[in-house]
PDB file of all heavy atoms in Angstrom:
ATOM      1  N   GLY L  57      60.521  21.268  18.834  1.00 94.00           N
ATOM      2  CA  GLY L  57      59.796  22.323  18.198  1.00 94.00           C
ATOM      3  C   GLY L  57      60.030  22.336  16.675  1.00 94.00           C
ATOM      4  O   GLY L  57      59.007  22.468  15.943  1.00 94.00           O
ATOM      5  N   ALA L  58      61.294  22.125  16.382  1.00 93.00           N
ATOM      6  CA  ALA L  58      61.464  22.122  14.832  1.00 93.00           C
ATOM      7  C   ALA L  58      60.900  20.855  14.249  1.00 93.00           C
ATOM      8  O   ALA L  58      60.366  21.053  13.077  1.00 93.00           O
ATOM      9  CB  ALA L  58      63.048  22.088  14.623  1.00 93.00           C
ATOM     10  N   LEU L  59      60.715  19.750  15.008  1.00 92.00           N
ATOM     11  CA  LEU L  59      59.941  18.623  14.352  1.00 92.00           C
ATOM     12  C   LEU L  59      58.479  18.980  14.197  1.00 92.00           C
ATOM     13  O   LEU L  59      57.915  18.665  13.129  1.00 92.00           O
ATOM     14  CB  LEU L  59      60.043  17.416  15.383  1.00 92.00           C
ATOM     15  CG  LEU L  59      59.402  16.173  14.860  1.00 92.00           C
ATOM     16  CD1 LEU L  59      60.045  15.679  13.541  1.00 92.00           C
ATOM     17  CD2 LEU L  59      59.567  15.087  15.874  1.00 92.00           C
ATOM     18  N   MET L  60      57.990  19.655  15.211  1.00 92.00           N
ATOM     19  CA  MET L  60      56.506  20.014  14.950  1.00 92.00           C
ATOM     20  C   MET L  60      56.313  21.069  13.778  1.00 92.00           C
ATOM     21  O   MET L  60      55.470  20.809  13.025  1.00 92.00           O
ATOM     22  CB  MET L  60      56.004  20.688  16.302  1.00 92.00           C
ATOM     23  CG  MET L  60      54.581  21.243  16.068  1.00 92.00           C
ATOM     24  SD  MET L  60      54.089  22.252  17.401  1.00 92.00           S
ATOM     25  CE  MET L  60      52.711  22.984  16.842  1.00 92.00           C
ATOM     26  N   SER L  61      57.402  21.920  13.757  1.00 91.00           N
ATOM     27  CA  SER L  61      57.347  22.884  12.611  1.00 91.00           C
ATOM     28  C   SER L  61      57.348  22.173  11.178  1.00 91.00           C
ATOM     29  O   SER L  61      56.603  22.457  10.400  1.00 91.00           O
ATOM     30  CB  SER L  61      58.483  23.865  12.653  1.00 91.00           C
ATOM     31  OG  SER L  61      58.337  24.851  13.592  1.00 91.00           O
ATOM     32  N   SER L  62      58.173  21.162  11.199  1.00 89.00           N
ATOM     33  CA  SER L  62      58.302  20.386   9.855  1.00 89.00           C
ATOM     34  C   SER L  62      57.030  19.583   9.688  1.00 89.00           C
ATOM     35  O   SER L  62      56.608  19.388   8.488  1.00 89.00           O
ATOM     36  CB  SER L  62      59.527  19.591   9.744  1.00 89.00           C
ATOM     37  OG  SER L  62      59.487  18.481  10.633  1.00 89.00           O
ATOM     38  N   GLN L  63      56.594  18.900  10.712  1.00 89.00           N
ATOM     39  CA  GLN L  63      55.286  18.119  10.548  1.00 89.00           C
ATOM     40  C   GLN L  63      54.011  19.006  10.176  1.00 89.00           C
ATOM     41  O   GLN L  63      53.348  18.510   9.347  1.00 89.00           O
ATOM     42  CB  GLN L  63      54.987  17.420  11.831  1.00 89.00           C
ATOM     43  CG  GLN L  63      55.890  16.415  12.299  1.00 89.00           C
ATOM     44  CD  GLN L  63      55.929  15.126  11.404  1.00 89.00           C
ATOM     45  OE1 GLN L  63      56.602  15.150  10.334  1.00 89.00           O
ATOM     46  NE2 GLN L  63      55.205  14.360  11.686  1.00 89.00           N
ATOM     47  N   VAL L  64      53.899  20.241  10.779  1.00 89.00           N
ATOM     48  CA  VAL L  64      52.848  21.126  10.417  1.00 89.00           C
ATOM     49  C   VAL L  64      53.079  21.981   9.197  1.00 89.00           C
ATOM     50  O   VAL L  64      52.402  21.953   8.315  1.00 89.00           O
ATOM     51  CB  VAL L  64      52.339  21.784  11.721  1.00 89.00           C
ATOM     52  CG1 VAL L  64      51.232  22.776  11.463  1.00 89.00           C
ATOM     53  CG2 VAL L  64      52.045  20.891  12.933  1.00 89.00           C
ATOM     54  N   GLY L  65      54.129  22.756   9.490  1.00 82.00           N
ATOM     55  CA  GLY L  65      54.479  23.743   8.327  1.00 82.00           C
ATOM     56  C   GLY L  65      54.993  23.073   7.140  1.00 82.00           C
ATOM     57  O   GLY L  65      54.862  23.679   6.013  1.00 82.00           O
ATOM     58  N   GLY L  66      55.594  21.880   7.301  1.00 78.00           N
ATOM     59  CA  GLY L  66      55.888  21.198   6.049  1.00 78.00           C
ATOM     60  C   GLY L  66      54.884  20.822   5.051  1.00 78.00           C
ATOM     61  O   GLY L  66      55.080  20.520   3.912  1.00 78.00           O
ATOM     62  N   ARG L  67      53.712  20.621   5.753  1.00 80.00           N
ATOM     63  CA  ARG L  67      52.531  19.997   4.922  1.00 80.00           C
ATOM     64  C   ARG L  67      51.622  21.138   4.619  1.00 80.00           C
ATOM     65  O   ARG L  67      50.659  20.921   3.903  1.00 80.00           O
ATOM     66  CB  ARG L  67      51.823  18.993   5.859  1.00 80.00           C
ATOM     67  CG  ARG L  67      52.546  17.772   6.036  1.00 80.00           C
ATOM     68  CD  ARG L  67      51.621  16.651   6.667  1.00 80.00           C
ATOM     69  NE  ARG L  67      52.139  15.348   6.704  1.00 80.00           N
ATOM     70  CZ  ARG L  67      52.631  14.774   7.816  1.00 80.00           C
ATOM     71  NH1 ARG L  67      52.658  15.354   8.954  1.00 80.00           N
ATOM     72  NH2 ARG L  67      53.071  13.486   7.680  1.00 80.00           N
ATOM     73  N   TRP L  68      51.713  22.250   5.207  1.00 76.00           N
ATOM     74  CA  TRP L  68      50.585  23.305   5.284  1.00 76.00           C
ATOM     75  C   TRP L  68      50.911  24.259   4.238  1.00 76.00           C
ATOM     76  O   TRP L  68      52.089  24.795   4.150  1.00 76.00           O
ATOM     77  CB  TRP L  68      50.479  23.991   6.782  1.00 76.00           C
ATOM     78  CG  TRP L  68      49.263  24.729   6.840  1.00 76.00           C
ATOM     79  CD1 TRP L  68      49.041  25.872   6.310  1.00 76.00           C
ATOM     80  CD2 TRP L  68      48.223  24.437   7.764  1.00 76.00           C
ATOM     81  NE1 TRP L  68      47.755  26.432   6.754  1.00 76.00           N
ATOM     82  CE2 TRP L  68      47.213  25.550   7.540  1.00 76.00           C
ATOM     83  CE3 TRP L  68      47.935  23.431   8.669  1.00 76.00           C
ATOM     84  CZ2 TRP L  68      46.071  25.680   8.400  1.00 76.00           C
ATOM     85  CZ3 TRP L  68      46.715  23.489   9.396  1.00 76.00           C
ATOM     86  CH2 TRP L  68      45.801  24.573   9.176  1.00 76.00           C
ATOM     87  N   GLY L  69      49.844  24.807   3.705  1.00 67.00           N
ATOM     88  CA  GLY L  69      49.994  26.016   2.840  1.00 67.00           C
ATOM     89  C   GLY L  69      50.075  25.862   1.343  1.00 67.00           C
ATOM     90  O   GLY L  69      50.800  24.990   0.920  1.00 67.00           O
ATOM     91  N   GLY L  70      49.270  26.704   0.685  1.00 67.00           N
ATOM     92  CA  GLY L  70      49.290  26.560  -0.850  1.00 67.00           C
ATOM     93  C   GLY L  70      50.350  27.384  -1.491  1.00 67.00           C
ATOM     94  O   GLY L  70      50.757  27.255  -2.629  1.00 67.00           O
ATOM     95  N   THR L  71      50.888  28.311  -0.637  1.00 76.00           N
ATOM     96  CA  THR L  71      51.997  29.139  -1.188  1.00 76.00           C
ATOM     97  C   THR L  71      53.155  28.966  -0.270  1.00 76.00           C
ATOM     98  O   THR L  71      53.069  28.639   0.904  1.00 76.00           O
ATOM     99  CB  THR L  71      51.573  30.650  -1.302  1.00 76.00           C
ATOM    100  OG1 THR L  71      51.397  31.061   0.100  1.00 76.00           O
ATOM    101  CG2 THR L  71      50.289  30.761  -2.168  1.00 76.00           C
ATOM    102  N   THR L  72      54.303  29.544  -0.744  1.00 79.00           N
ATOM    103  CA  THR L  72      55.517  29.566   0.157  1.00 79.00           C
ATOM    104  C   THR L  72      55.284  30.511   1.381  1.00 79.00           C
ATOM    105  O   THR L  72      55.871  30.256   2.346  1.00 79.00           O
ATOM    106  CB  THR L  72      56.598  30.091  -0.741  1.00 79.00           C
ATOM    107  OG1 THR L  72      56.608  29.399  -1.973  1.00 79.00           O
ATOM    108  CG2 THR L  72      57.985  29.781   0.005  1.00 79.00           C
ATOM    109  N   GLY L  73      54.489  31.669   1.126  1.00 85.00           N
ATOM    110  CA  GLY L  73      54.417  32.582   2.251  1.00 85.00           C
ATOM    111  C   GLY L  73      53.567  31.770   3.427  1.00 85.00           C
ATOM    112  O   GLY L  73      53.887  31.934   4.623  1.00 85.00           O
ATOM    113  N   GLN L  74      52.558  31.226   3.069  1.00 85.00           N
ATOM    114  CA  GLN L  74      51.713  30.573   4.134  1.00 85.00           C
ATOM    115  C   GLN L  74      52.587  29.519   4.760  1.00 85.00           C
ATOM    116  O   GLN L  74      52.556  29.213   6.035  1.00 85.00           O
ATOM    117  CB  GLN L  74      50.390  29.894   3.477  1.00 85.00           C
ATOM    118  CG  GLN L  74      49.466  30.883   3.104  1.00 85.00           C
ATOM    119  CD  GLN L  74      48.377  30.135   2.284  1.00 85.00           C
ATOM    120  OE1 GLN L  74      48.329  28.939   2.229  1.00 85.00           O
ATOM    121  NE2 GLN L  74      47.375  30.971   1.677  1.00 85.00           N
ATOM    122  N   ASN L  75      53.353  28.769   3.852  1.00 84.00           N
ATOM    123  CA  ASN L  75      54.117  27.696   4.454  1.00 84.00           C
ATOM    124  C   ASN L  75      55.149  28.248   5.435  1.00 84.00           C
ATOM    125  O   ASN L  75      55.374  27.615   6.493  1.00 84.00           O
ATOM    126  CB  ASN L  75      54.873  27.020   3.251  1.00 84.00           C
ATOM    127  CG  ASN L  75      55.468  25.634   3.646  1.00 84.00           C
ATOM    128  OD1 ASN L  75      56.568  25.712   4.196  1.00 84.00           O
ATOM    129  ND2 ASN L  75      54.791  24.590   3.316  1.00 84.00           N
TER     130      ASN L  75
END
Side-chain angles (χ1 to χ4, degrees):
Chain L
L59 179 63
M60 177 191 164
S61 280
S62 71
Q63 293 289 88
V64 178
R67 288 187 171 108
W68 191 292
T71 66
T72 313
Q74 289 172 8
N75 192 282

